[in-house]
Amino acid sequence: MIAQRSLTLSTASPRQRILIVEDDKKMARSLREGFDERGYDVQVASSGEEGFFVVFSFRPDLLVLDLNLPGRGGLEVLRQLREQALDLRILVLTSHNELEERVQGLREGADDYLGKPFAFSELMARVEALLRRGQPTAPSHSLAVADLILDLTLRRAQRSGISLALTDQEFDLLLYLVENRNRAVSREMLARDVWHETSRFTPIDNVIDVQMARLRRKVDEPFETKLLYTVRGVGFSLREPRP
């Protein structure tokens, strides 16, 4: 159920496309109406099977994906879409909102995760934030630490000339660490500045640890020189290697 609904109209481009994969007809209709009012092109699929194939015909910019679907479940759809390496942002919207379920959803490749019930205004804010990540806003420029290079316009990372397949959340986390290179970054800082969680009562530390583990596998494990470190009792640090 949608607990709250914003009446503020967005300036979103009508060319931006959203696919809703939701088997609850009332929920799907409400979401569709909300996105329609804000100028998005919207399609709805009522099963995981249908949603998987509509992705390739509709080519959405963003997928709103329920997990509890008949037939092919939402997590299976999520995994299979990530295997296709599509430029597609995926927001999981589900009643499965326990911490372990959120962690699993992010591990499987979700860019964001929102539990039901939810406020439509929050859903819209998250959708707009995800879609902004794909829109260049400034001339191409980059940041570099040793052989790690971040293209801030294209939001791509590479190390030793090898492209790193990062999710949007992983790129944001890596960018924050690069911007704070050679400093200890606490989990509280990451929760506030990367996840935008202002309440420390939110159990997000495990989510941060999961994302850091994923980032290490992509940024450090294939290479001899390590850049990412755990700072005991504090958090993490990205350090420039000593000459």
Side-chain angles (χ1 to χ4, degrees), residues 4-121:
Q4 180 182 342
R5 186 167 173 176
S6 168
L7 296 178
T8 304
L9 295 181
S10 165
T11 56
S13 165
R15 290 176 295 179
Q16 290 181 299
R17 298 177 296 274
I18 295 177
L19 172 62
I20 302 164
V21 182
E22 170 65 71
D23 65 321
D24 183 319
K25 292 182 179 179
K26 184 177 179 181
M27 173 67 75
R29 184 171 58 252
S30 179
L31 290 172
R32 178 165 200 158
E33 290 174 355
F35 292 134
D36 276 341
E37 289 174 2
R38 288 156 179 80
Y40 294 96
D41 289 338
V42 186
Q43 282 200 16
V44 175
S46 59
S47 70
E49 190 77 13
E50 180 186 4
F52 182 82
F53 289 105
V54 171
V55 163
F56 295 94
S57 57
F58 183 50
R59 291 287 180 182
D61 300 290
L62 184 139
L63 169 63
V64 177
L65 177 65
D66 187 18
L67 295 185
N68 191 24
L69 296 168
R72 190 186 308 205
L75 282 178
E76 184 180 353
V77 172
L78 182 58
R79 280 194 294 269
Q80 292 176 341
L81 288 175
R82 285 310 182 211
E83 289 172 0
Q84 302 297 318
L86 301 173
D87 182 16
L88 172 64
R89 285 145 191 83
I90 300 178
L91 188 153
V92 168
L93 184 65
T94 178
S95 58
H96 296 277
N97 197 33
E98 297 296 325
L99 175 61
E100 291 182 357
E101 294 169 325
R102 298 200 300 273
V103 169
Q104 185 182 12
L106 293 169
R107 277 178 169 165
E108 298 292 352
D111 295 300
D112 201 356
Y113 197 108
L114 182 61
K116 301 175 182 176
F118 61 95
F120 192 77
S121 57

Side-chain angles (χ1 to χ4, degrees), residues 83-186:
E83 289 172 0
Q84 302 297 318
L86 301 173
D87 182 16
L88 172 64
R89 285 145 191 83
I90 300 178
L91 188 153
V92 168
L93 184 65
T94 178
S95 58
H96 296 277
N97 197 33
E98 297 296 325
L99 175 61
E100 291 182 357
E101 294 169 325
R102 298 200 300 273
V103 169
Q104 185 182 12
L106 293 169
R107 277 178 169 165
E108 298 292 352
D111 295 300
D112 201 356
Y113 197 108
L114 182 61
K116 301 175 182 176
F118 61 95
F120 192 77
S121 57
E122 181 181 3
L123 173 63
M124 277 306 309
R126 289 174 182 251
V127 165
E128 290 167 356
L130 288 174
L131 291 173
R132 278 198 302 271
R133 294 176 184 176
Q135 298 177 348
T137 57
S140 180
H141 57 293
S142 62
L143 291 175
V145 176
D147 57 350
L148 173 67
I149 300 174
L150 272 63
D151 185 318
L152 304 186
T153 300
L154 299 178
R155 293 179 57 82
R156 293 175 181 168
Q158 61 174 260
R159 189 161 179 198
S160 294
I162 300 172
S163 295
L164 306 178
L166 302 181
T167 65
D168 284 334
Q169 186 73 77
E170 290 166 352
F171 184 89
D172 288 343
L173 176 56
L174 182 58
L175 174 59
Y176 189 79
L177 292 167
V178 168
E179 290 175 334
N180 292 276
R181 68 187 73 174
N182 302 321
R183 294 178 53 197
V185 173
S186 69

Side-chain angles (χ1 to χ4, degrees), residues 183-185 187 190 208-209 212 216 229-231 234-237:
R183 294 178 53 197
V185 173
R187 290 180 177 81
L190 294 173
I208 293 173
D209 290 347
M212 279 300 304
R216 285 181 200 275
Y229 295 86
T230 297
V231 182
V234 179
F236 309 95
S237 178

